[in-house]
Amino acid sequence: MAIHLFEAQLQFQLDPQGFRARLSVPVLVWVGAPAVKRASVFEDEPEPTYSGPSPSRPATGQVLVLSLVKQDARANAFALGITVGRVVTNDVVMDDPSISRFHAYLQHDERKGGWSVTDADSQNGVWVNGTKTVGHQPVADGAKVKFGDVVTWFLEPDRFCAWLAKGADPAALS
């Protein structure tokens, strides 16, 4: 599920302890491209708005929070992990041309408690902290995970809540 950062901030500000109690999975934080002056016939033309329940890409300068939750098994029969891709049958949908239809998957090792990401033979690859993945690549809390051209940060619930408490500055993630 994807929500805008401002929604997460509002929920956190209203009930920090309740928000943390409900957040049982890590998130991917996807920062949209910096705002740029767009060439337009109309100087005050607004940014496009989303229609539908949840966006699948951030607008310019916006931030999306993508929860690592397995969706309905009827829509996504891939049981090995949390799928990431461009089409809506994935658990985490990233609407970007550099993302394959089924790009990668993340897995949680219950025994060791850690997470890993695996490239699903995507065309544009997966990188963790600047290193191209080969096989199952461990993903640590705070890691920069790049899917194609999309840069995200993998944050465990405690780190995500701490980041929200400090004002959720995207520059603090870099």
Side-chain angles (χ1 to χ4, degrees), residues 5-140:
L5 177 60
F6 68 84
E7 294 174 74
Q9 287 176 299
L10 180 60
Q11 292 173 21
F12 180 79
Q13 289 170 352
L14 292 173
D15 182 10
Q17 291 153 340
F19 180 88
R20 175 57 191 93
R22 290 185 306 275
L23 185 63
S24 61
V25 296
V27 297
L28 293 173
V29 175
W30 180 9
V31 179
V36 294
K37 180 80 173 151
R38 295 184 304 145
S40 172
V41 176
F42 305 103
E43 285 300 315
D44 295 327
E45 181 180 2
E47 286 288 330
T49 57
Y50 293 108
S51 62
S54 63
S56 56
R57 91 172 277 104
T60 303
Q62 291 184 335
V63 178
L64 281 184
V65 178
L66 307 157
S67 297
L68 296 183
V69 175
K70 190 72 184 156
Q71 301 301 323
D72 184 2
R74 289 173 292 174
N76 179 340
F78 187 80
L80 294 179
I82 311 290
T83 62
V84 176
R86 195 177 65 239
V87 297
V88 297
T89 55
N90 287 287
D91 301 309
V92 175
V93 178
M94 294 181 171
D95 183 16
D96 186 89
S98 70
I99 302 292
S100 297
R101 287 176 288 155
F102 170 39
H103 197 94
Y105 61 94
L106 291 113
Q107 293 177 299
H108 183 247
D109 184 333
E110 297 290 335
R111 195 170 37 90
K112 294 179 182 177
W115 284 82
S116 66
V117 64
T118 303
D119 189 341
D121 293 327
S122 68
Q123 185 170 351
N124 294 316
V126 177
W127 287 261
V128 175
N129 293 326
T131 303
K132 187 168 173 63
T133 63
V134 177
H136 300 294
Q137 176 72 38
V139 180

